[in-house]
Amino acid sequence: ETGVTQTPRHLVMGMTNKKSLKCEQHLGHNAMYWYKQSAKKPLELMFVYNFKEQTENNSVPSRFSPECPNSSHLFLHLHTLQPEDSALYLCASSQERGETQYFGPGTRLLVL
Amino acid sequence: AQKVTQAQTEISVVEKEDVTLDCVYETRDTTYYLFWYKQPPSGELVFLIRRNSFDEQNEISGRYSWNFQKSTSSFNFTITASQVVDSAVYFCALSEARTGGGNKLTFGTGTQLKVEL
């Protein structure tokens, strides 16, 4: 099943770098999500986009900047990150509210 | 506020044993959805089941079965005759319907299941 893809799968970056995570869904869904999964913490919802419009920003620091150019693509732009931002970043998509979210394989990010 | 509790942090069983993963939830919504996801070491969250709050029928899918009880706010997951390939972290999640579209999943902390030979 390759309904939701994420690139890169692994990323190592310094605190002064700028990088972007990419997510693409091939399911025809209207909503896309970014989650952060840190060790020993529950999955944290970061952003929600519905029909390309951001509908939720869960108090995420401005060093994380999402972009949703269309319903199939979602980006997470990263700049001046901190070591505590090291985590697995998961993208998901769903058709409508209440519908099942399907997840991508995630990007494992390490900030040095 | 919504909350999902998975009290079992880690469970170890021997292959072919049955195992039940517990999930207790809290919500003020009358309409909500419950999910189970599996996360193998590769990291991807694999969808297993979705149940809406109006459907309390238990469900069986092969070796997997789910017991939804609104009276106790629980949505437990049982694996029958466990196999090594079942080793993973299992997450229970609760979704609220949102007027802005999309839905917000609240996850439990997960239960690490280890199935040994």
Side-chain angles (χ1 to χ4, degrees), chain A residues 28-86:
Chain A
H29 290 165
N30 300 315
M32 296 187 77
Y33 313 77
W34 278 117
Y35 287 87
K36 176 183 178 182
Q37 186 179 28
S38 305
K40 299 181 181 180
K41 281 188 176 182
L43 279 88
E44 304 170 57
L45 178 65
M46 300 175 72
F47 301 104
V48 180
Y49 278 82
N50 193 51
F51 291 96
K52 302 186 299 179
E53 298 297 320
Q54 187 179 123
T55 58
E56 181 145 355
N57 177 337
N58 203 22
S59 301
V60 180
S62 59
R63 58 185 182 271
F64 294 91
S65 175
E67 178 189 2
C68 188
N70 54 62
S71 293
S72 299
H73 294 85
L74 185 63
F75 295 89
L76 188 62
H77 304 300
L78 316 171
H79 61 99
T80 59
L81 294 192
Q82 305 298 311
E84 60 264 30
D85 297 322
S86 299

